[in-house]
Amino acid sequence: MSTLTSGGRAALASLDAELAYAAFERHYAHAPRWLASAPGRVNLIGEYTDYNGGYVLPMAIEPRTIVAAAPNDSRKITVHSEALAATVTIDLTKGLAPDPRGRWSNYLRGVVCGFLKLGALVPGFNALIHSTVPVGAGLSSSAALETSIATLLEAMAGMKLEPLQKIALCQTAEHVFAGVPCGIMDPYICTLARAGHALLLDCRSQEAVWLPFEDPEVAILIVNTQVRHELAQGEYAMRRRACEEAARALKVATLREASLERLRDRARDMSDTALRCARHVITEIARTERAAQCIAERDWHTFGELLDASHESLKSDFNVSSPELDLLVGAARDLGPRRGVYGARLTGGGFGGCAIALIEARKREEIRASIAAAYQQGTGLEPQFLISRPSAGVSILEV
Ligand code: GLA
């Protein structure tokens, strides 16, 4: 274990890495050989723009998914999830298909399948998942797991992928094995995040700019509604189809190429849902570009206004908010800049999960107390709070 604490590899020299190592040893009665660690993420702004070729502006967060693993001299992969107290076994001599009851194990199956398709020699191995990324909270626990497993497989199969290839492999796993036709934002940020930076990603060119985001005077307060969000229930896919319908009616490849003016002109050629979804996407792409400038200029007032406008658009046009999210965002916004809240919005896919607020760091305690009181009064639920600095992307350590 000395390598863990003396190696100076910040992302892995952590208590959680040590816990993952120890839990693996307890479970399998031998030591792991690798620890792969990937972060969760929070999207600051740019929601539902990724699969429309637009901009997104996420940052990785400190909670991480750590997978400890060692080869096992068989043709079987055995993975134990500590949180779920569940074990999955995959037989590499048989074909891999999504398991309708598989849930989390499908992320694993999907990534293994991606490597096999590339011709990788995937050995049998034992693994244990230790994660501090809340599941179903819109903080990308699935991409954290996929990118950890993919990074582990690179090491085990001796096959290093280009980052964009690894990102696409994880996205395909999500499409085919989890049934969510997601964009590239989540595996991209989990793979390529840099500590202290938010990432402005152009999802059309797949090129990113890392923006320093470490002003000690402000913080991103993440608030979990404690209501699970589920993306696989068809709502996500339905909106993606509405965006595609709008793009077709506007005769553009993606909504990135569309404008509000053109949308107004062609409004009659599409359904009301498509019109509203497109209006959200077009305005959200513009907000995201502007928000990136605000980070560079430390213009937190304007950044906050953009967050507020993003929430309104996600609620009224894209229709992915929920009463709990509206309540949290309303409670934060009621405080306003005078009491330290610049702006707030739902983050991630919506339908539950988390909201974020851009706040004055020194007022964090009062802000938390007042949001918690309003939320408890309105729902009877206790929200969970997290303040995280922008963290680093996936990494692996041979131990
Ligand atoms: C989920 C998807 C992402 C993105 C967001 C909404 O997190 O995985 O690709 O579409 O929803 O912005």
Side-chain angles (χ1 to χ4, degrees), residues 48 73 78 116 118 146-147 187 197 211 217 268 272 331 345:
Y48 287 103
D73 294 328
T78 301
L116 292 174
L118 290 174
E146 288 155 1
T147 50
H197 293 75
L211 303 168
E217 286 177 12
R268 264 168 293 141
D272 187 53
R345 68 177 203 91

Side-chain angles (χ1 to χ4, degrees), residues 221-224 328 367-369 371-373 382-387:
L221 178 66
I222 303 168
V223 195
N224 190 342
L328 275 185
I367 294 170
R368 273 193 237 206
I371 294 177
E382 206 173 311
Q384 217 176 43
F385 294 96
L386 171 72
I387 288 187

